Amino acid sequence: MEYNFREIEQKWQQKWVEEKTYKVVEDNSKPKFYVLNMFPYPSGAGLHVGHPLGYIASDIYARYKRLQGFNVLNPMGYDAYGLPAEQYAIQTGQHPEKTTFQNIDRYREQLDKIGFCFDWDREVRTCAPGYYKWTQWAFQKMFNSFFCNKCQSAQPIEKLIERFEEKGTEGLDVAQTENLTFTAAEWKAMDEKQKSDTLMNYRIAFMGETMVNWCAGLGTVLANDEVVDGVSVRGGFPVEQKKMRQWCLRVSAYAQRLLDGLDTIQWSDSIKETQKNWIGRSEGAEVEFKIADSDESFTIFTTRADTMFGVTFMVLAPESELVEKVTTPEQKAAVEEYIKYVKGRTERERMIDHKVTGVFSGSYAINPFTGEKNPIWISEYVLAGYGTGAIMAVPAHDSRDYAFAKHFNLPIIPLIEGADISEESYDAKEGIVCNSPRADVKPYIDFSLNGLTVKEAIAATKKYVKEAGLGRVKVNYRLRDAIFSRQRYWGEPFPVYYKNGIPTMIPEECLPIELPEVDKFLPTETGEPPLGNATVWAWDEVNKKIVENTKIDNKTVFPIELYTMPGFAGSSAYYLRYMDPHNNEALVSKDADEYWQNVDLYVGGSEHATGHLIYSRFWNKFLFDLGISCKEEPFQKLINQGMIQGRSNFVYRIKDTNTFVSYDKKDGYDVTPIHVDVNIVSADVLDVEAFKAWRPEYETAEFILNDEGKYICGWAVEKMSKSMFNVVNPDMIVEKFGADTLRLYEMFLGPVEQSKPWDTNGIDGCHRFLKKLWKFMTNEETLSPTLPHNGEGDHAACSSTTNTPNGLPIMGEMSKGQRGSKEELKALHTLIKKVTADIEVFSYNTSIAAFMVCLNELTKLKSTNREVKEALVILLAPFCPHLAEELWHLLGHTTTVCDAPWPAFNENYLKEDSVKMMVAFNGKARFPLEFPADVTKEDAEKAALANPQSAKWMEGFTVAKVIVVPGKMINVVLKK
RNA sequence: GCGCUUGUGGCGGAAUUGGUAGACGCGCUAGACUUAGGAUCUAGUAUCUCUGAUGUGCAGGUUCGAGUCCUGUCAGGCGCACCA
């Protein structure tokens, strides 16, 4: 019987659908396990072989957990809203809805061919009204909340209003945009609009006039993680800073919790580190400096409070509001010119070359520690958005200040004993402090840091600053609030309308506000939202209702928010929706949430480290504060699958000809390398005829072949992309080798977390293994002589209780149940141990190697034992589900292999005579022996070998090496 | 500049976590069966000056013993970055 994978795979895929094998329901009698893949953007290019890598890895784990008796949730859906989907639609000149749905169908078709155990009844699409209702709902909840710093959690905005009525902002400690102060009386005196504007300062979802990343090429604003090196991640269009009125999420309020939460989750160090960098916590002090000959003062932020005595000048960010206040009439022209220069520089220019530039403002600040007057400068190296936008410069111990001081010839005072600052600043936080205060000047205050270490000095200064009322201890974060609105069409509409210019939430019962049809959905360079083109709005109906309820003039039409939400809105809480995807009353029911808790295993690319993985954690923490999600962290364990890179092939055309020369003959010719479709190249040998047929211009191509008459292509590892003709489509692999081979091969390629180029060369090995396995399981010569077991007796290898209902003899003559031989069981249990341990740590490639070894062993033994075969099939089921089902079926089972019990490992089969002898799989072995300290090495060695017990263990082996550790132990290394 | 991470045959990668380095697969070599093989099977395959020696990017160290631990260094990949 041939291994007919096409027939087998088709048959079982159909069965799984018919029998809803992968449907999962909450079941309190079983422990739960939640496996999740980052859901894909359904892009136009379809899936390539890189996409399923993570899906296969998690599918194996999900199936394994199910075999172990867990109730496994493994859902899939589509992140359909947002820029990528819309850009594709624009490029192909179609409506995004149409292309998105087409792409989803294509993805689904491709996914179905690989045999995943997704519960498709739970599919979500972020662009479905039933789904984004809850995105809009969450936004409204954020709008109606503020963040209390003291209790570190979100609170209803009503609480804040009550407090304002009572005592204004007195003693207020909440997350805010600006530090406002007003009394209860002032609050009460505000009109509705003023109150609304004031509350925006505190809401978690708020409208703010902020500096945003404006991308004219995409016609929208972008979040920080969507901009890299001054250009948009999507499309690479230039991005400029612009002040705009935008919706924002106060992610920064959760900075500390986002940081602390990292300690409670099992993510890789590199992702945690990336998030820590992105959050950018720095502990320091804010110190107030008075401006000389003025009543004004300003605050600086520093992490080096110990360097207060080394300040020789101050620097303000050019954008700082203080600039105007400190500029003296004499300096006005120079300052204005400088500001003009800074404004003319793009973000990108500023980032790439760090020019030392600046201008003196004319004013001085009084150093509260020395009483000295320090000149106030203005320079672009100080950022308006970080800290207070003002710094104290300590050139001796900060490289940027040092460069500035040298350039403008400002004084440099060293503060650390022995620090050499003749060539560069001494930035290390190490050493003994001196010159604080300097011996040659009269102390201004009764405070000295001399003789302390830097660390002690920082602590001492902070304490002093606080006690003397000069400032306060402050923690700063780099993490910025997320800009949440986009001037785009393909996204969730905001559930917001404007009542007399005041942003107002649409009543919850009217959600969702559906995305309207528009004629023109293209973005505009000026930022006019495409939703303005809508002629028919679901909003119209809602508007009517609101108008009726409020008893205003029936003809009143309130304007609705025309911005849409960004891509990350819909992807931030989708894992919660999978728990209860059809619930129309709540995002997720209490019961479902408490059953599934949070995602146990999350699999996806590391490129989402500072985007989705921050937003999701923020979003979930907010919902946790509201009591919607019972777990503070959404993703307990995270695995980042590596990227599959493409392996491009090249042909070499001799310049100005249509002649192509083989790679090994190309030296001596002037050639142009040209990408060639990898699908017409096999093992770097070009299919010449296929090449001629590939494109019309190559029809008449001529070739200089190598000595063997072959055309050899060059190759390079590049990103897998259409333009490099190196895209390998999973469908083609499935067609040629089958889904089980694809699954096996993708896992065999190497560790899941490692990036690697796709290389089809090794795929035969995996396919060959499956063919051998098939042969072994079905070969007439090794037919099982045993009956299908029916629960009697103990089955050490497989404790299955699944009976063969009709008792039909399958696979040849059956006789009474029989134990596997010692050797068979040893091979099997070595495999059970290895596979079980490896799956737990996602080391699938080594599991597969163990399968190959085990099969070899069993084939050599001509094993015919049924319990061994059954166990083997179950172990295989996570990796190659189709084949496992078929074999399970051939073994006489009518139930799915998915519900078989995972074989239990029994150590006894690997032990010899119950001693501590470890027999490794490939024939290596060693065992320890104790021996007294006063015996010489040689004697110990002899004694060990002469020991009757040792002799027994050594049976069948030869001694490769004896390792003697005097007084400790002896290891005898054996080999077969 | 700061941080994380990876360096092992011709290639992808193993190594019981400190104990025979190179499992397993690809490729390659020889042989068998074949009209044929890009099918299948068997044997071999780290290197060298080959009865021996050398080998896990490089240089040291700890240890009876180091791919594994420590110190330094080089190279690649990733993240953050005029963040005070």
Side-chain angles (χ1 to χ4, degrees), chain A residues 119-144:
Chain A
D119 177 1
W120 285 106
D121 286 355
R122 289 178 186 255
E123 182 197 292
V124 301
R125 296 178 184 194
T126 54
C127 63
Y131 178 87
Y132 65 69
K133 171 178 179 177
W134 300 106
T135 311
Q136 294 177 339
W137 174 85
F139 170 81
Q140 294 198 335
K141 293 284 170 199
M142 289 183 194
F143 179 84
N144 286 320

mmCIF file of all heavy atoms in Angstrom, chain A residues 119-144:
data_model
loop_
_atom_site.group_PDB
_atom_site.id
_atom_site.type_symbol
_atom_site.label_atom_id
_atom_site.label_comp_id
_atom_site.label_asym_id
_atom_site.label_seq_id
_atom_site.Cartn_x
_atom_site.Cartn_y
_atom_site.Cartn_z
ATOM 1 N N ASP A 119 -10.745 26.197 16.056
ATOM 2 C CA ASP A 119 -12.200 26.147 16.197
ATOM 3 C C ASP A 119 -12.758 27.332 15.406
ATOM 4 O O ASP A 119 -12.827 28.455 15.901
ATOM 5 C CB ASP A 119 -12.572 26.265 17.676
ATOM 6 C CG ASP A 119 -14.076 26.296 17.868
ATOM 7 O OD1 ASP A 119 -14.811 26.198 16.851
ATOM 8 O OD2 ASP A 119 -14.522 26.413 19.012
ATOM 9 N N TRP A 120 -13.135 27.055 14.160
ATOM 10 C CA TRP A 120 -13.564 28.154 13.278
ATOM 11 C C TRP A 120 -14.897 28.754 13.684
ATOM 12 O O TRP A 120 -15.279 29.815 13.196
ATOM 13 C CB TRP A 120 -13.587 27.693 11.824
ATOM 14 C CG TRP A 120 -12.204 27.591 11.244
ATOM 15 C CD1 TRP A 120 -11.510 26.448 10.991
ATOM 16 C CD2 TRP A 120 -11.341 28.676 10.875
ATOM 17 N NE1 TRP A 120 -10.263 26.747 10.483
ATOM 18 C CE2 TRP A 120 -10.138 28.108 10.401
ATOM 19 C CE3 TRP A 120 -11.465 30.074 10.905
ATOM 20 C CZ2 TRP A 120 -9.067 28.884 9.962
ATOM 21 C CZ3 TRP A 120 -10.400 30.835 10.459
ATOM 22 C CH2 TRP A 120 -9.215 30.245 9.988
ATOM 23 N N ASP A 121 -15.620 28.082 14.572
ATOM 24 C CA ASP A 121 -16.860 28.698 15.051
ATOM 25 C C ASP A 121 -16.580 29.954 15.867
ATOM 26 O O ASP A 121 -17.468 30.745 16.122
ATOM 27 C CB ASP A 121 -17.627 27.705 15.942
ATOM 28 C CG ASP A 121 -18.275 26.619 15.106
ATOM 29 O OD1 ASP A 121 -18.199 26.713 13.865
ATOM 30 O OD2 ASP A 121 -18.831 25.671 15.683
ATOM 31 N N ARG A 122 -15.351 30.097 16.286
ATOM 32 C CA ARG A 122 -15.016 31.249 17.114
ATOM 33 C C ARG A 122 -14.292 32.335 16.328
ATOM 34 O O ARG A 122 -13.739 33.265 16.917
ATOM 35 C CB ARG A 122 -14.151 30.809 18.286
ATOM 36 C CG ARG A 122 -14.911 29.999 19.320
ATOM 37 C CD ARG A 122 -14.009 29.552 20.431
ATOM 38 N NE ARG A 122 -14.687 28.668 21.355
ATOM 39 C CZ ARG A 122 -15.091 29.031 22.574
ATOM 40 N NH1 ARG A 122 -14.876 30.248 23.011
ATOM 41 N NH2 ARG A 122 -15.716 28.176 23.361
ATOM 42 N N GLU A 123 -14.235 32.196 15.018
ATOM 43 C CA GLU A 123 -13.523 33.177 14.201
ATOM 44 C C GLU A 123 -13.990 34.604 14.497
ATOM 45 O O GLU A 123 -15.179 34.849 14.654
ATOM 46 C CB GLU A 123 -13.785 32.882 12.716
ATOM 47 C CG GLU A 123 -13.049 33.835 11.793
ATOM 48 C CD GLU A 123 -13.613 33.811 10.381
ATOM 49 O OE1 GLU A 123 -13.463 32.783 9.707
ATOM 50 O OE2 GLU A 123 -14.197 34.827 9.971
ATOM 51 N N VAL A 124 -13.029 35.513 14.568
ATOM 52 C CA VAL A 124 -13.393 36.935 14.657
ATOM 53 C C VAL A 124 -12.765 37.694 13.496
ATOM 54 O O VAL A 124 -11.728 37.294 12.973
ATOM 55 C CB VAL A 124 -12.941 37.586 15.988
ATOM 56 C CG1 VAL A 124 -13.548 36.882 17.178
ATOM 57 C CG2 VAL A 124 -11.424 37.643 16.093
ATOM 58 N N ARG A 125 -13.448 38.746 13.104
ATOM 59 C CA ARG A 125 -12.901 39.676 12.108
ATOM 60 C C ARG A 125 -13.055 41.057 12.690
ATOM 61 O O ARG A 125 -14.154 41.444 13.073
ATOM 62 C CB ARG A 125 -13.699 39.606 10.812
ATOM 63 C CG ARG A 125 -13.600 38.264 10.146
ATOM 64 C CD ARG A 125 -14.441 38.208 8.902
ATOM 65 N NE ARG A 125 -14.382 36.864 8.356
ATOM 66 C CZ ARG A 125 -14.785 36.534 7.132
ATOM 67 N NH1 ARG A 125 -15.296 37.457 6.345
ATOM 68 N NH2 ARG A 125 -14.694 35.296 6.722
ATOM 69 N N THR A 126 -11.962 41.797 12.734
ATOM 70 C CA THR A 126 -12.042 43.096 13.404
ATOM 71 C C THR A 126 -12.951 44.071 12.660
ATOM 72 O O THR A 126 -13.392 45.048 13.224
ATOM 73 C CB THR A 126 -10.641 43.724 13.545
ATOM 74 O OG1 THR A 126 -10.038 43.778 12.260
ATOM 75 C CG2 THR A 126 -9.775 42.909 14.485
ATOM 76 N N CYS A 127 -13.233 43.778 11.391
ATOM 77 C CA CYS A 127 -14.061 44.705 10.619
ATOM 78 C C CYS A 127 -15.540 44.331 10.670
ATOM 79 O O CYS A 127 -16.354 44.945 10.002
ATOM 80 C CB CYS A 127 -13.582 44.767 9.171
ATOM 81 S SG CYS A 127 -13.746 43.183 8.307
ATOM 82 N N ALA A 128 -15.901 43.305 11.459
ATOM 83 C CA ALA A 128 -17.311 42.923 11.571
ATOM 84 C C ALA A 128 -17.985 43.779 12.643
ATOM 85 O O ALA A 128 -17.449 43.925 13.734
ATOM 86 C CB ALA A 128 -17.411 41.448 11.929
ATOM 87 N N PRO A 129 -19.151 44.341 12.329
ATOM 88 C CA PRO A 129 -19.817 45.216 13.307
ATOM 89 C C PRO A 129 -19.999 44.552 14.671
ATOM 90 O O PRO A 129 -19.806 45.191 15.700
ATOM 91 C CB PRO A 129 -21.163 45.507 12.654
ATOM 92 C CG PRO A 129 -20.916 45.336 11.196
ATOM 93 C CD PRO A 129 -19.881 44.277 11.062
ATOM 94 N N GLY A 130 -20.340 43.277 14.667
ATOM 95 C CA GLY A 130 -20.533 42.567 15.935
ATOM 96 C C GLY A 130 -19.255 42.497 16.745
ATOM 97 O O GLY A 130 -19.281 42.330 17.960
ATOM 98 N N TYR A 131 -18.144 42.613 16.048
ATOM 99 C CA TYR A 131 -16.862 42.630 16.756
ATOM 100 C C TYR A 131 -16.495 44.043 17.193
ATOM 101 O O TYR A 131 -16.179 44.292 18.341
ATOM 102 C CB TYR A 131 -15.760 42.046 15.878
ATOM 103 C CG TYR A 131 -14.404 42.090 16.567
ATOM 104 C CD1 TYR A 131 -14.015 41.052 17.403
ATOM 105 C CD2 TYR A 131 -13.559 43.184 16.431
ATOM 106 C CE1 TYR A 131 -12.789 41.106 18.080
ATOM 107 C CE2 TYR A 131 -12.346 43.246 17.101
ATOM 108 C CZ TYR A 131 -11.970 42.206 17.916
ATOM 109 O OH TYR A 131 -10.789 42.266 18.600
ATOM 110 N N TYR A 132 -16.543 44.985 16.239
ATOM 111 C CA TYR A 132 -16.013 46.310 16.609
ATOM 112 C C TYR A 132 -16.956 47.097 17.503
ATOM 113 O O TYR A 132 -16.588 48.126 18.034
ATOM 114 C CB TYR A 132 -15.509 47.098 15.401
ATOM 115 C CG TYR A 132 -16.491 47.539 14.334
ATOM 116 C CD1 TYR A 132 -17.442 48.520 14.585
ATOM 117 C CD2 TYR A 132 -16.401 47.016 13.035
ATOM 118 C CE1 TYR A 132 -18.288 48.959 13.576
ATOM 119 C CE2 TYR A 132 -17.242 47.448 12.024
ATOM 120 C CZ TYR A 132 -18.202 48.422 12.295
ATOM 121 O OH TYR A 132 -19.034 48.861 11.316
ATOM 122 N N LYS A 133 -18.157 46.571 17.674
ATOM 123 C CA LYS A 133 -19.025 47.137 18.704
ATOM 124 C C LYS A 133 -18.256 47.220 20.022
ATOM 125 O O LYS A 133 -18.328 48.204 20.744
ATOM 126 C CB LYS A 133 -20.241 46.225 18.882
ATOM 127 C CG LYS A 133 -21.114 46.583 20.062
ATOM 128 C CD LYS A 133 -22.320 45.661 20.153
ATOM 129 C CE LYS A 133 -23.174 46.006 21.360
ATOM 130 N NZ LYS A 133 -24.381 45.185 21.441
ATOM 131 N N TRP A 134 -17.472 46.184 20.297
ATOM 132 C CA TRP A 134 -16.773 46.123 21.591
ATOM 133 C C TRP A 134 -15.475 46.914 21.594
ATOM 134 O O TRP A 134 -14.970 47.285 22.643
ATOM 135 C CB TRP A 134 -16.569 44.656 21.991
ATOM 136 C CG TRP A 134 -17.921 44.019 22.087
ATOM 137 C CD1 TRP A 134 -18.492 43.150 21.215
ATOM 138 C CD2 TRP A 134 -18.903 44.303 23.080
ATOM 139 N NE1 TRP A 134 -19.777 42.863 21.600
ATOM 140 C CE2 TRP A 134 -20.055 43.551 22.740
ATOM 141 C CE3 TRP A 134 -18.942 45.117 24.209
ATOM 142 C CZ2 TRP A 134 -21.232 43.596 23.503
ATOM 143 C CZ3 TRP A 134 -20.105 45.153 24.971
ATOM 144 C CH2 TRP A 134 -21.224 44.403 24.611
ATOM 145 N N THR A 135 -14.968 47.185 20.410
ATOM 146 C CA THR A 135 -13.831 48.094 20.318
ATOM 147 C C THR A 135 -14.319 49.507 20.649
ATOM 148 O O THR A 135 -13.690 50.231 21.414
ATOM 149 C CB THR A 135 -13.230 48.044 18.901
ATOM 150 O OG1 THR A 135 -13.037 46.674 18.524
ATOM 151 C CG2 THR A 135 -11.907 48.763 18.837
ATOM 152 N N GLN A 136 -15.466 49.845 20.068
ATOM 153 C CA GLN A 136 -16.045 51.161 20.339
ATOM 154 C C GLN A 136 -16.451 51.281 21.806
ATOM 155 O O GLN A 136 -16.247 52.309 22.450
ATOM 156 C CB GLN A 136 -17.276 51.379 19.443
ATOM 157 C CG GLN A 136 -16.920 51.455 17.964
ATOM 158 C CD GLN A 136 -18.150 51.605 17.073
ATOM 159 O OE1 GLN A 136 -19.268 51.282 17.475
ATOM 160 N NE2 GLN A 136 -17.935 52.084 15.859
ATOM 161 N N TRP A 137 -17.002 50.200 22.300
ATOM 162 C CA TRP A 137 -17.445 50.189 23.697
ATOM 163 C C TRP A 137 -16.273 50.427 24.646
ATOM 164 O O TRP A 137 -16.352 51.228 25.578
ATOM 165 C CB TRP A 137 -18.108 48.835 23.962
ATOM 166 C CG TRP A 137 -18.492 48.574 25.373
ATOM 167 C CD1 TRP A 137 -19.664 48.959 25.979
ATOM 168 C CD2 TRP A 137 -17.738 47.863 26.358
ATOM 169 N NE1 TRP A 137 -19.672 48.520 27.282
ATOM 170 C CE2 TRP A 137 -18.507 47.851 27.541
ATOM 171 C CE3 TRP A 137 -16.497 47.235 26.351
ATOM 172 C CZ2 TRP A 137 -18.066 47.235 28.715
ATOM 173 C CZ3 TRP A 137 -16.050 46.625 27.509
ATOM 174 C CH2 TRP A 137 -16.822 46.617 28.672
ATOM 175 N N ALA A 138 -15.155 49.753 24.375
ATOM 176 C CA ALA A 138 -13.970 49.903 25.234
ATOM 177 C C ALA A 138 -13.456 51.340 25.168
ATOM 178 O O ALA A 138 -13.059 51.910 26.180
ATOM 179 C CB ALA A 138 -12.886 48.925 24.811
ATOM 180 N N PHE A 139 -13.514 51.914 23.971
ATOM 181 C CA PHE A 139 -13.084 53.299 23.822
ATOM 182 C C PHE A 139 -13.930 54.216 24.719
ATOM 183 O O PHE A 139 -13.416 55.098 25.393
ATOM 184 C CB PHE A 139 -13.198 53.742 22.354
ATOM 185 C CG PHE A 139 -13.007 55.208 22.161
ATOM 186 C CD1 PHE A 139 -11.729 55.754 22.107
ATOM 187 C CD2 PHE A 139 -14.112 56.059 22.058
ATOM 188 C CE1 PHE A 139 -11.557 57.119 21.957
ATOM 189 C CE2 PHE A 139 -13.938 57.424 21.913
ATOM 190 C CZ PHE A 139 -12.663 57.960 21.857
ATOM 191 N N GLN A 140 -15.229 53.985 24.699
ATOM 192 C CA GLN A 140 -16.111 54.816 25.529
ATOM 193 C C GLN A 140 -15.778 54.670 27.009
ATOM 194 O O GLN A 140 -15.819 55.629 27.767
ATOM 195 C CB GLN A 140 -17.571 54.433 25.283
ATOM 196 C CG GLN A 140 -18.025 54.772 23.871
ATOM 197 C CD GLN A 140 -19.541 54.823 23.742
ATOM 198 O OE1 GLN A 140 -20.260 54.194 24.521
ATOM 199 N NE2 GLN A 140 -20.016 55.561 22.766
ATOM 200 N N LYS A 141 -15.471 53.428 27.399
ATOM 201 C CA LYS A 141 -15.105 53.212 28.802
ATOM 202 C C LYS A 141 -13.831 53.985 29.146
ATOM 203 O O LYS A 141 -13.698 54.532 30.232
ATOM 204 C CB LYS A 141 -14.874 51.716 29.063
ATOM 205 C CG LYS A 141 -16.125 50.880 28.962
ATOM 206 C CD LYS A 141 -16.992 51.069 30.189
ATOM 207 C CE LYS A 141 -18.350 50.425 29.969
ATOM 208 N NZ LYS A 141 -19.378 50.929 30.890
ATOM 209 N N MET A 142 -12.908 54.017 28.207
ATOM 210 C CA MET A 142 -11.658 54.749 28.457
ATOM 211 C C MET A 142 -11.921 56.247 28.532
ATOM 212 O O MET A 142 -11.304 56.956 29.310
ATOM 213 C CB MET A 142 -10.644 54.452 27.355
ATOM 214 C CG MET A 142 -10.086 53.045 27.426
ATOM 215 S SD MET A 142 -8.847 52.790 26.148
ATOM 216 C CE MET A 142 -8.717 51.021 26.190
ATOM 217 N N PHE A 143 -12.846 56.678 27.677
ATOM 218 C CA PHE A 143 -13.214 58.097 27.701
ATOM 219 C C PHE A 143 -13.787 58.447 29.068
ATOM 220 O O PHE A 143 -13.516 59.516 29.626
ATOM 221 C CB PHE A 143 -14.251 58.371 26.600
ATOM 222 C CG PHE A 143 -14.718 59.790 26.551
ATOM 223 C CD1 PHE A 143 -13.984 60.755 25.857
ATOM 224 C CD2 PHE A 143 -15.895 60.175 27.181
ATOM 225 C CE1 PHE A 143 -14.425 62.066 25.810
ATOM 226 C CE2 PHE A 143 -16.330 61.496 27.136
ATOM 227 C CZ PHE A 143 -15.592 62.449 26.452
ATOM 228 N N ASN A 144 -14.563 57.541 29.620
ATOM 229 C CA ASN A 144 -15.230 57.807 30.888
ATOM 230 C C ASN A 144 -14.409 57.398 32.102
ATOM 231 O O ASN A 144 -14.960 57.097 33.151
ATOM 232 C CB ASN A 144 -16.591 57.108 30.920
ATOM 233 C CG ASN A 144 -17.589 57.819 30.027
ATOM 234 O OD1 ASN A 144 -17.623 59.050 29.987
ATOM 235 N ND2 ASN A 144 -18.375 57.051 29.279
#
